[in-house]
């Protein structure tokens, strides 16, 4: 049998020895990782060994806005027409996935951190570091993870 528990979580036996049933249920719920799919690696190739499937087209990304690709861990923006930028979708404050792109900013609703769509710099909130850039390429009208 394979032990696929999160190594940071205590064993069920240890939990039962030190806590009541209600506490055990609450604690173990957060530790369960069974069946979670791993995120695809950036730039991963398809089953036939070809290029990665495009994230979007340039037309899918609004000028002055952007779109979050949570499964791929990136947010793609178009600060000015024809300029495509990409950043990590993970907030630098406490690691939540950013939730919106509006008013030329990338917003994390967890603690209201706000980042600039052009360079990922912090525009407000508790985050102290900018969003790291993510590598994307634009091939014709297709935007792909690089």
């Amino acid at each position: 049998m394979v032990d696929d528990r999160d190594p940071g979580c205590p064993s069920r036996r240890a939990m039962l020895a030190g806590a009541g049933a209600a506490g055990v249920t609450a604690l173990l719920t957060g530790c369960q990782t069974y069946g979670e799919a791993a995120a695809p690696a950036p730039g991963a190739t398809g089953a036939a060994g070809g290029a990665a499937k495009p994230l979007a087209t340039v037309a899918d990304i609004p000028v002055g806005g952007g779109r979050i690709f949570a499964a791929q861990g990136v947010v793609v923006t178009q600060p000015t027409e024809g300029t495509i930028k990409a950043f990590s979708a993970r907030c630098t404050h406490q690691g939540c996935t950013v939730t919106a792109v509006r008013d030329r900013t990338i917003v994390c609703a967890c603690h209201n951190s706000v980042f600039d769509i052009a360079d990922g710099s912090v525009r407000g909130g508790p985050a102290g570091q900018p969003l790291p850039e993510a590598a994307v390429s634009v091939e014709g009208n297709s935007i792909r993870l690089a």
Side-chain angles (χ1 to χ4, degrees), residues 42-63:
T45 58
K53 180 179 173 188
L55 285 174
T57 65
V58 173
D60 293 333
I61 310 300
V63 176

Side-chain angles (χ1 to χ4, degrees), residues 91-116:
C91 181
T92 57
H93 176 239
Q94 287 192 345
C96 295
T97 299
V98 296
T99 53
V101 181
R102 64 174 180 260
D103 301 325
R104 303 190 61 78
T105 62
I106 301 165
V107 180
C108 179
C110 286
H111 301 102
N112 297 315
S113 290
V114 180
F115 305 90
D116 191 278

Side-chain angles (χ1 to χ4, degrees), residues 6 8 11 43 80 83 89 91 93 102 107-108 110 117 125-126 129 132 136:
D6 182 336
S11 71
T80 58
T83 301
C91 181
H93 176 239
R102 64 174 180 260
V107 180
C108 179
C110 286
I117 66 167
Q129 298 292 318
V136 293

